[in-house]
Every structure is written in structure tokens, then in C-alpha cells.
């Protein structure tokens, strides 16, 4: 008996006992491959991949699909293997978006505005469609809402997770990936809806699609936007390693240092200062809007919540980063120099993503709530100079490249109350 397609919210609530769920994952990285393998192994789900690397993925993919090695915390002997068949792989939205009930964007923040513009015309308008990002930082909620508003898409339910649901690594495109483990909770925000049924469905879907991890519903997207993570970690650590106060002499290094395990006191100092500024922004936003931002923990506490026992020593932020097993063996993103050594790569996503869709967003919100951010400004001015961009000029976000960022002011949002209200979620 052929199962029906999902036509209304009740069908989603009844799923997986009724209907086939069509899921399209956008991206070709570790998380996209975990979803492809794990979801593709379930008969009640048809999972597709949308990626500009579609041709190379299809060439290497076998009939069986993608294999996920689910790593055991005990020993390699206890690892489990799941192989899932991928329904479609394409570089074209028209092939994999119209059928989708759920669209999960795993691509980096700086790629998302273009992706959303490309997929929006192909989203089915006749039934509910859940459109989300993992992780959801970088202004995904207002950027996605803008893309939907332009086309009058009223049936799209926008959601984000604060963090990625799985820690994953070592993707062999189209073939395999290692799932190092799942998070203990999913922190979920759903956009601009007072419909508790939509909230219930989004929570149900995420728990089902993310290996039955329980969902915690957030009061608003602002918790996701302000969560201290990559947007301050990556620039601050790079600033300590290669900035004007570092010991780097400008010459190529023989190899890339371990990014977290060898993080130094100077990088940690800058990061702590930036983290304190984010906490000041959080307090000001909460005071002005009344929204609950209690889950925007300071970075050291956030690492403890997200990674749990994987962090062996949480006494200081530097030690928490150095002893986090999830951070092991991650190298600093450097590129080869003509001399044979390696030098900083200012075209890496640590700059392309974390500056215009991280630091700039934090600075824009700080402006809205009247918080001074000297450390964030310092990181921003240093990074933009290396990138050949101008975002912050003379203390104002009006540089020539500001339109290329995810700043809410570029989406006609100038008041933090407007930002929180349009993204306020309802309680179940």
C-alpha cells in the first residue's frame, strides 16, 4: 500500500505512522552526510541532497547510499554502522525542493542568503513546509523570513536549532561519515507563530529526525543569535595567534597548530573579553524586551552544557577548550605558501562566515541596545582589514560592504523589540 504524502499539520503529528516524509538536506558536509545516511535508512523517509557538489557526490555514491559509523563511547568494537539510501542528489533546487516537507540547511551562514533566494521559488505553496538551519546562528530566521515574504510564502514554518544535533567528522563525500555522538538536548526556536500546533509539530519532527533527542523550546530566536560560539571563538583565537599582539613574525609556519588543544593564554584573554560583551548584550536585550535569554550561557558554561563529559577540565575557558575531546586534532585553518610552509587563510569560513554573519550581527544588536563592545570592535576591524572588506568604519556599521552581511539593519530591522517580536515563539 502506497503511503500518502504529508498535506496538513495533523499528518505531521501522526507521522511516522502515516505518510512518507520528504526531507531535503542542503549542504555536503559532515552533518548533511549524517542526515543522509541515518534518515535514508528509514523506510518512512525519503531524503535528498541539494549541493553544488552534486556531481562528485553522485559519482562516488553506491546504490546502497551513505554509511554512518556511529561511534561508541566505550570502544571501536561497539561502533554501529547504518547505511541509508539517498532518494535524489542534485545541484538544482527545482529537482529536490518542490517535494520537500522538511528542508534542513546545513551550509555555512555566509552561503545561506543566496541559497534561500534560489530555493524559495520552488517551495510547495499548497501544504506546510518546515524550513530550518542547523546551527541557526547568523541571522537565519530574519534572512529566511525575508526570502519567504518576497514571494508571499505563508505556509513556511521557519525553525532553527541552537546547536548541531550530532558531532560528526571525516566525511568521504557520497560514501561515509563518522557520527561521534549526539547532543543531550535540542534547543529549538520556531519563527513568528502563535500556533501551538506548529510548535508541537516542529518539536515532534526534530526529535524524530535527530535520533530521538528531546527538544527544549526557546522563547525566541534571540537565544540562538546570541549564543556564544564560533562567531567569537574563531576570530578571537585567530587574533591571539596572528594579530598584532601575537608572537607570530609574519613568516610561514612549518605546520598548522592544533586550534583548540594548543590555544594560548592571549587568545583566551581576547575570547573572555568578547564573551563578556555578549553577556552584556544579552542582559540589555532581556531588559528591553522581556524575552527569556537564560539559555545564553557564558562560553565556558555553554561548552559544559553542549559537550558534557567530553570536556575533561572546565576550570577555565582555556582549559575547557584544550581538554574538550570533541575538539581533538582540529587544526588551525592555514593555507600552503610558495615556500612550502603554511600561512593564515583569510578566505576560510572562520573569516567569511564568522565576521559578516557573526561579529557584525552582534555589533548591530549591541547598537540597538546601547552596549559598547570594544573587544568585538577590535576583532572586527582586524579581520575586515585582512579580508579587504569594510563593515565597521569610525565606529559605525556603514562600511561599503555592510550590505553583504547578515546584520538585521540590512533587513530593515532597527529596533531590538521588532527583532524579538517578529521571532517570538509561543509556549506549548
Amino acid at each position: 500500500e502506497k503511503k500518502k504524502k504529508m498535506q496538513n499539520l495533523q499528518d505531521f503529528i501522526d507521522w511516522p505512522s502515516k505518510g512518507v516524509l520528504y526531507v531535503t538536506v542542503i549542504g555536503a558536509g559532515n552533518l548533511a552526510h549524517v542526515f543522509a545516511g541515518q534518515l535514508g535508512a528509514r523506510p518512512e523517509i525519503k531524503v535528498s541532497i541539494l549541493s553544488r557538489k552534486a556531481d562528485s557526490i553522485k559519482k562516488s555514491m553506491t546504490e546502497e547510499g551513505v554509511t554512518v559509523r556511529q561511534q561508541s563511547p566505550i570502544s571501536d568494537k561497539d561502533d554501529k554502522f547504518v547505511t541509508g539510501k539517498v532518494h535524489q542528489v542534485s545541484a538544482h533546487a527545482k529537482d529536490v525542493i518542490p517535494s520537500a516537507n522538511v528542508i534542513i540547511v546545513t551550509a555555512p551562514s555566509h552561503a545561506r542568503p543566496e541559497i534561500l533566494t534560489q530555493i524559495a521559488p520552488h517551495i510547495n505553496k499548497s501544504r506546510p513546509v518546515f524550513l530550518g538551519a542547523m546551527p541557526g546562528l547568523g541571522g537565519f530566521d530574519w534572512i529566511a523570513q525575508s526570502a519567504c515574504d518576497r514571494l508571499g510564502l505563508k505556509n513556511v514554518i521557519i525553525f532553527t536549532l541552537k546547536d548541531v544535533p550530532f558531532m560528526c567528522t571525516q566525511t568521504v563525500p557520497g560514501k561515509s561519515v563518522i557520527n561521534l555522538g549526539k547532543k543531550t538536548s535540542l534547543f529549538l526556536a520556531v519563527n513568528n507563530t502563535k500556533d501551538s500546533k506548529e510548535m508541537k509539530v516542529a518539536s515532534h519532527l526534530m526529535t524524530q529526525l535527530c535520533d530521538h533527542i528531546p527538544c527544549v523550546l526557546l522563547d525566541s530566536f534571540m537565544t540562538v543569535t546570541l549564543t556564544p560560539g564560533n562567531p567569537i571563538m574563531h576570530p578571537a583565537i585567530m587574533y591571539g595567534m596572528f594579530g598584532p599582539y601575537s608572537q607570530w613574525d609574519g613568516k610561514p609556519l612549518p605546520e598548522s597548530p592544533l586550534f583548540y588543544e594548543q590555544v594560548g593564554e592571549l587568545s583566551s584573554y581576547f575570547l573572555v573579553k568578547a564573551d563578556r560583551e555578549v553577556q552584556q548584550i544579552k542582559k540589555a536585550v532581556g531588559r528591553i524586551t522581556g524575552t527569556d535569554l537564560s539559555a545564553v550561557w557564558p562560553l565556558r558554561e555553554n561548552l559544559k552544557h553542549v559537550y558534557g563529559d567530553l570536556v575533561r577540565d572546565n576550570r577555565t575557558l582555556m582549559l575547557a577548550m584544550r581538554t574538550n575531546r570533541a575538539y581533538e586534532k582540529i587544526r588551525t585553518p592555514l593555507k600552503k605558501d610558495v615556500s612550502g610552509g603554511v600561512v593564515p587563510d583569510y578566505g576560510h569560513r572562520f573569516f567569511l562566515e564568522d565576521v559578516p554573519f557573526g561579529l557584525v550581527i552582534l555589533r548591530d544588536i549591541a547598537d540597538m541596545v546601547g552596549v559598547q563592545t570594544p573587544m568585538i570592535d577590535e576583532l572586527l576591524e582586524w579581520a575586515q582589514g585582512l579580508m579587504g572588506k569594510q563593515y565597521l568604519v569610525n565606529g559605525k556599521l556603514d562600511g561599503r560592504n555592510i550590505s553583504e552581511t547578515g546584520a538585521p539593519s540590512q533587513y530593515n530591522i532597527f529596533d531590538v523589540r521588532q527583532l524579538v517580536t517578529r521571532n517570538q515563539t509561543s509556549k506549548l
Side-chain angles (χ1 to χ4, degrees):
E1 182 186 353
K2 190 175 180 181
K3 288 189 173 182
K4 67 174 184 176
K5 292 186 178 180
M6 318 295 283
Q7 294 297 331
N8 54 56
L9 287 176
Q10 189 58 48
D11 289 340
F12 285 95
I13 292 171
D14 293 339
W15 183 82
S17 63
K18 293 182 182 177
V20 173
L21 191 73
Y22 285 77
V23 178
T24 295
V25 181
I26 301 178
N30 295 325
L31 184 58
H33 276 73
V34 169
F35 274 124
Q38 293 185 174
L39 300 183
R42 295 167 60 177
E44 71 276 18
I45 298 175
K46 290 194 180 296
V47 61
S48 297
I49 295 173
L50 176 62
S51 169
R52 56 187 172 82
K53 300 175 182 175
D55 287 344
S56 62
I57 292 171
K58 282 191 282 190
K59 278 180 187 174
S60 59
M61 187 179 287
T62 65
E63 184 73 21
E64 288 75 25
V66 175
T67 297
V68 182
R69 178 176 183 166
Q70 297 175 331
Q71 189 165 294
S72 165
I74 302 166
S75 73
D76 289 351
K77 291 185 297 182
D78 296 306
D79 288 358
K80 294 180 180 177
F81 292 84
V82 175
T83 300
K85 185 165 184 158
V86 179
H87 181 56
Q88 273 187 288
V89 180
S90 179
H92 306 291
K94 64 181 175 61
D95 296 332
V96 293
I97 295 298
S99 61
N101 305 114
V102 181
I103 302 166
I104 300 172
V105 182
T106 66
S109 298
H110 64 280
R112 292 175 183 175
E114 184 181 347
I115 287 169
L116 289 163
T117 299
Q118 288 174 353
I119 69 170
H122 301 284
I123 292 175
N124 191 310
K125 293 184 178 182
S126 66
R127 49 181 164 76
V129 176
F130 288 81
L131 170 62
M134 302 179 189
L137 76 175
F140 179 82
D141 44 302
W142 60 79
I143 297 170
Q145 189 67 59
S146 175
C148 290
D149 288 348
R150 284 197 298 271
L151 295 174
L153 293 171
K154 303 294 186 186
N155 59 309
V156 176
I157 299 136
I158 297 167
F159 70 91
T160 66
L161 295 183
K162 185 166 74 75
D163 309 294
V164 294
F166 311 108
M167 293 167 280
C168 33
T169 187
Q170 294 183 32
T171 288
V172 179
K175 286 187 176 294
S176 63
V177 64
I178 298 175
N179 182 350
L180 298 169
K182 61 184 182 181
K183 304 291 173 64
T184 53
S185 299
L186 300 175
F187 291 87
L188 171 70
V190 180
N191 195 34
N192 202 22
T193 174
K194 296 297 181 186
D195 188 336
S196 62
K197 199 168 188 180
E198 291 182 355
M199 296 290 290
K200 184 177 180 180
V201 172
S203 180
H204 171 65
L205 280 175
M206 287 306 99
T207 298
Q208 286 285 335
L209 298 179
C210 299
D211 200 12
H212 306 287
I213 305 173
C215 266
V216 177
L217 290 169
L218 297 171
D219 197 35
S220 86
F221 275 98
M222 190 57 76
T223 295
V224 179
T225 301
L226 293 181
T227 289
N230 295 351
I232 59 171
M233 287 178 77
H234 295 157
I237 294 174
M238 292 293 280
Y239 188 56
M241 294 174 75
F242 301 107
Y245 306 105
S246 71
Q247 295 182 329
W248 185 51
D249 58 6
K251 296 177 182 176
L253 301 175
E255 65 173 0
S256 296
L258 291 163
F259 192 67
Y260 296 104
E261 292 172 270
Q262 292 180 303
V263 66
E265 290 185 2
L266 185 61
S267 290
S268 301
Y269 168 75
F270 294 136
L271 183 51
V272 167
K273 289 184 75 172
D275 187 34
R276 285 175 182 158
E277 290 175 1
V278 172
Q279 288 299 306
Q280 290 170 1
I281 297 169
K282 168 191 117 170
K283 288 173 185 172
V285 172
R287 186 175 64 249
I288 292 167
T289 66
T291 193
D292 178 10
L293 297 172
S294 55
V296 182
W297 302 296
L299 187 50
R300 181 165 67 97
E301 193 178 337
N302 192 61
L303 292 176
K304 185 178 178 182
H305 279 280
V306 171
Y307 295 105
D309 293 340
L310 290 173
V311 178
R312 293 185 289 265
D313 190 342
N314 195 250
R315 286 176 297 166
T316 68
L317 179 54
M318 183 175 75
L319 289 172
M321 291 187 290
R322 283 182 173 181
T323 65
N324 184 353
R325 285 197 290 272
Y327 288 165
E328 286 177 357
K329 299 177 183 175
I330 296 175
R331 294 277 172 184
T332 304
L334 306 182
K335 62 181 180 181
K336 286 188 177 178
D337 183 70
V338 289
S339 67
V342 286
V343 294
D345 181 4
Y346 304 123
H348 189 269
R349 69 177 180 85
F350 279 17
F351 289 89
L352 295 182
E353 179 175 25
D354 296 323
V355 178
F357 289 84
L359 294 177
V360 169
I361 289 175
L362 292 172
R363 180 55 159 76
D364 203 19
I365 296 171
D367 271 353
M368 293 182 191
V369 295
V371 170
Q372 299 294 309
T373 55
M375 188 69 247
I376 288 173
D377 288 10
E378 191 173 326
L379 295 174
L380 186 46
E381 288 171 342
W382 172 72
Q384 70 181 14
L386 297 173
M387 295 167 69
K389 301 287 186 180
Q390 281 190 351
Y391 308 121
L392 184 68
V393 179
N394 298 322
K396 294 188 181 299
L397 286 172
D398 58 7
R400 67 173 186 270
N401 303 107
I402 193 64
S403 63
E404 302 166 10
T405 74
S409 59
Q410 295 304 301
Y411 291 82
N412 296 313
I413 302 168
F414 302 101
D415 187 309
V416 75
R417 287 172 288 252
Q418 179 191 1
L419 187 61
V420 168
T421 301
R422 67 177 283 161
N423 298 321
Q424 195 81 31
T425 59
S426 59
K427 298 292 184 183
L428 287 180

